[in-house]
Amino acid sequence: MKFLGISFAPLLVPLHRRLETFAVAQWCILFLVGGLFCFLFLLYLLTTSFYWVTILAYIWFYIDWHTSHRGGRRSKWMVTSRFWRHMANYFPARLHKTADLDLKHNYMFGFHPHGVMGIGAFISFGTDATDFSKKFPGLKPTLLILSQQFYFPLWRDYLMSVGE
């Protein structure tokens, strides 16, 4: 379908494909501007009668500073959300198990080339979209990301909810 010279997706695209596209678009947009948006939102709240939300957010930010250095606050609901499975199906991303891993040891997985956003690493190890917990029961993967991502209140809590 064309409107004003712009080609739009056909109306008959299945719902699952639209959900997959939305999941990837949302993640890309949040990756690019999530921290900035949270900062600007809190700055805006300072100019309203909800200024106390910003004050509480920064108090929590100060009190909770070291949590991001200790593995975050993983939320099972966030990690296992159907939303991430839609994102994995878009590419399609799959995790292939080639060996059993002993739970008595720690492991470091390398992911290369990861690109700018590291979507494959996020889908495979930051979420359970590729069934990591079923393939490696007992292991808890944690992504290592730039520490600057944790300088923005609200955004850091979003990141820590998936265990980053």
Side-chain angles (χ1 to χ4, degrees), residues 16-28 83 90:
H16 74 89
R17 190 62 183 160
R18 290 186 185 272
L19 290 172
E20 292 166 2
T21 304
F22 174 74
V24 172
Q26 172 274 149
W27 193 84
C28 290
F83 191 76
Y90 177 86

Side-chain angles (χ1 to χ4, degrees), residues 39-55:
F39 173 74
L40 293 176
F41 177 69
L42 289 173
L43 196 62
Y44 165 74
L45 287 180
L46 280 175
T47 65
T48 70
S49 60
F50 294 103
Y51 63 90
W52 54 270
V53 173
T54 301
I55 294 169

Side-chain angles (χ1 to χ4, degrees), residues 88-105:
N89 290 338
Y90 177 86
F91 289 105
R94 302 290 177 259
L95 184 64
H96 300 280
K97 181 178 179 177
T98 57
D100 288 323
L101 300 176
D102 186 3
L103 295 178
K104 296 176 187 171
H105 296 55

